Amino acid sequence: MRAVVVRTDGAARGNPGPASLGAVLIDRSRPDAFDPRARPDASISEFLGHQTNNVAEYTGVVRALALADELGVRQVDLLLDSKLIVEQLHGRWRVKDAKLIPLWAECRRLLGGLEAWSAAHVPRALNGAADALANAAIDRVAAGGPASVVVRPPATGSVPGT
C-alpha cells in the first residue's frame, strides 16, 4: 500500500472517562477506497484508559499515521469526524489544550514524513467503521479482553514453503 484512506475516531464514555480509539486504513488504489463501508486493509482498536474525547480522537490519528508509516505508506487521505483536528492539522485553528499539543506535534511530525497528505472533515455517520472499533475496544476491555487489537495486511511477495 503506497497510498491509503484513513478514517479514525475516538470514544470516551463520560468526558473524561473510559476512552478508546478506532482506525481503518484502506488502500487508495481500490475502487471503493472512499466508500465509508469499505472493508479495511488494516485497522486498530485500542483502549486508552481514562481520557478525554479529544485526547482519544488525536491518539487515533497518531496511531493510524504510525501504522501507515510502519506499512511504508507515502500518501494519506485522512477522513475525520473531528473538525477540531482537521482545522488544527491545517493550521487554521490554534492548539490551546496542553494535553493536545504533544499529540498534534506527533501528528505533524508523522505527516511531515509523507510525500503528500490531506485531511477532511466528514459527518459522523460516514465514520461508522472507526467508531465501531473504538467502542469495541471499551467493551472488549470491560469483558477482560486485550487493550489493543491491530490488524495488518498480509505480507506480500512471500513464497510459501521458503
Side-chain angles (χ1 to χ4, degrees):
M1 293 189 300
R2 181 164 170 71
V4 294
V5 173
V6 173
R7 294 176 186 270
T8 69
D9 199 16
R13 295 186 183 162
N15 197 20
S20 61
L21 65 90
V24 298
L25 288 75
I26 303 158
D27 188 332
R28 199 170 71 193
S29 68
R30 290 176 33 192
D32 66 344
F34 288 91
D35 184 333
R37 297 162 297 169
R39 175 194 47 79
D41 293 299
S43 64
I44 306 168
S45 175
E46 183 177 337
F47 181 73
L48 299 172
H50 192 84
Q51 295 291 344
T52 66
N53 187 64
N54 285 338
V55 166
E57 294 270 3
Y58 253 111
T59 305
V61 177
V62 168
R63 297 284 198 277
L65 290 172
L67 180 57
D69 182 57
E70 174 190 319
L71 297 173
V73 170
R74 302 305 306 143
Q75 299 176 8
V76 172
D77 293 301
L78 295 167
L79 300 176
L80 312 174
D81 65 13
S82 172
K83 187 169 180 71
L84 175 79
I85 294 176
V86 170
E87 296 300 326
Q88 288 177 338
L89 289 179
H90 283 294
R92 294 186 290 254
W93 293 359
R94 289 184 304 137
V95 184
K96 298 177 189 175
D97 186 336
K99 294 182 303 300
L100 302 183
I101 292 171
L103 295 166
W104 171 84
E106 182 63 4
C107 284
R108 294 293 302 172
R109 184 188 73 75
L110 289 163
L111 291 169
L114 296 169
E115 291 173 8
W117 66 274
S118 68
H121 179 253
V122 296
R124 187 172 189 208
L126 298 180
N127 208 18
D131 178 69
L133 287 166
N135 281 293
I138 295 173
D139 296 339
R140 186 177 58 248
V141 166
S148 182
V149 173
V150 179
V151 176
R152 290 172 178 81
T156 57
S158 60
V159 178
T162 60

